[in-house]
Amino acid sequence: MNYSRQRELILDFLKSSKEHPTAERILEKVREADPLVARGTVYRNLTLLAETGEIIKISTCAGGDRFDYIHEKHSHAICKRCGKVFDFSLPVCGELVLKLEETMEFISSECGVTVTGICEDCKKNA
């Protein structure tokens, strides 16, 4: 993949972010560094980065995909009311992968769990 200043700005923001931002939030932050970056440029680069595995695209039922740069194995909890995404670790993933590989002759490339529910803030404001 060829170098792109816009892609570098996107990656820099995602590397520093713990919020699992939407494409619109990423666009907002990238435009702080370069006000001329086009919306389409950000969306195309996010798609490319997700396809190449440099970032993770997280689809949420609350609307709007979220993006994550963390490369360590981890799982996500997603609030179905506000769409907020939380990271968590689940040691059982390693056991699950081993079981799949043993019983189904399945070769895995990654393992993560996505749990949906209601976050603490939305529960309080219900």
Side-chain angles (χ1 to χ4, degrees), residues 15-112:
K15 287 175 185 178
S16 68
S17 175
K18 301 292 182 220
E19 67 182 75
H20 302 89
T22 62
E24 286 300 311
R25 175 79 172 132
I26 294 166
L27 174 64
E28 175 186 308
K29 296 304 281 184
V30 168
R31 280 186 173 166
E32 288 178 9
D34 182 351
L36 300 178
V37 173
R39 176 176 272 105
T41 300
V42 170
Y43 278 78
R44 275 190 305 280
N45 276 288
L46 288 171
T47 298
L48 179 64
L49 290 166
E51 287 173 353
T52 60
E54 288 192 60
I55 63 172
I56 299 167
K57 177 179 166 184
I58 306 161
S59 296
T60 69
C61 53
D65 294 329
R66 302 297 186 110
F67 297 90
D68 192 0
Y69 181 78
I70 299 173
H71 283 88
E72 295 86 32
K73 292 180 182 177
H74 67 288
S75 298
H76 295 102
I78 303 171
C79 179
K80 59 185 179 181
R81 285 198 185 147
C82 70
K84 187 172 182 181
V85 179
F86 306 87
D87 290 330
F88 70 95
S89 294
L90 191 63
V92 76
C93 271
E95 296 171 29
L96 177 63
V97 168
L98 286 174
K99 191 70 167 170
L100 280 170
E101 289 176 351
E102 290 172 1
T103 60
M104 299 176 68
E105 297 183 21
F106 181 80
I107 299 171
S108 64
S109 58
E110 62 184 81
C111 178

